[in-house]
Amino acid sequence: MFVVGISGSPRKAGNTEFLLGEALAVSKERGFEVERLNCSELKIDFCTDCGDCSKGRPCPKEDDAARILEALQSADGIIVASPVYFGSVTAQLKAVFDRTIPLRRQGLKLKEKVGCAVAVGASRNGGQERAIETIHNWMHIHGMIVVGDNSHFGGIAVRPAYEDRIGRKTVVASANKLCDLLERTCPKGSCWGGD
Ligand SMILES: Cc1cc2nc3c(=O)[nH]c(=O)nc-3n(C[C@H](O)[C@H](O)[C@H](O)COP(=O)(O)O)c2cc1C
């Protein structure tokens, strides 16, 4: 089975990439294949609703979106992590979300994949739950199955993330819950396999 992680931070090796690494390490330890996609390394233009994907055509933009769509389509589980920016996700992550519209318009390709969310901010109550809600909205609109951390809404941390022992526990718990559900629903291997 295959778990894809997306970090929405424009900053390399920051708090979000650290926490996503911890979440993916859980999946890897449990025998899942993993791939990470860092917005800090990707070139993603905005969706302009040109309508090509509604007509069954591929997206005409030439950037890293095709790579992201391919990975998401092959995934069984998807972990999305973002810094909190003004109480929401980053613009970079929102651009990624919008560019996944072909997967919805061309056959609801993320339907029933399992997803969980992680958010990290500078303040303890800086809008992490709101950022997570935005990530969950994207997942629900793709027909995905959303899990939290067995207690609340997902991985919620404060920077510096490596010092946030309680926050890191919620990230690990969310990743474990995602893996638990995948093991229960796809006991023999990949449910999706990129089909
Ligand atoms: C434009 C901007 C807006 C931010 N807004 C918030 C916010 O609303 N709440 C919060 O707790 N932190 C906010 N922060 C702080 C970041 O969430 C925090 O620094 C986070 O750890 C960055 O993650 P990174 O290290 O992965 O880039 C903001 C930072 C920036 C640059």
Side-chain angles (χ1 to χ4, degrees), residues 13-28:
N15 298 274
T16 312
E17 292 186 9
F18 169 77
L19 292 170
L20 181 64
E22 293 217 305
L24 291 176
V26 168
S27 308
K28 206 170 173 184

Side-chain angles (χ1 to χ4, degrees), residues 96-111:
V96 169
F97 284 172
D98 292 348
R99 293 292 301 285
T100 64
I101 192 73
L103 298 178
R104 187 170 192 276
R105 287 179 171 168
Q106 296 177 1
L108 212 55
K109 301 250 172 61
L110 302 186
K111 189 179 169 196

Side-chain angles (χ1 to χ4, degrees), residues 134-186:
T134 300
I135 296 169
H136 285 175
N137 290 345
W138 172 76
M139 292 176 170
H140 283 304
I141 290 167
H142 275 294
M144 290 174 59
I145 299 164
V146 173
V147 299
D149 65 335
N150 253 344
S151 180
H152 294 97
F153 306 105
I156 291 184
V158 182
R159 78 166 193 226
Y162 62 89
E163 285 181 7
D164 183 7
R165 189 180 54 82
I166 296 169
R168 286 168 68 182
K169 272 172 91 169
T170 65
V171 173
V172 168
S174 302
N176 269 314
K177 192 167 177 68
L178 178 135
C179 294
D180 289 345
L181 186 58
L182 286 176
E183 282 173 357
R184 281 168 67 173
T185 51
C186 324

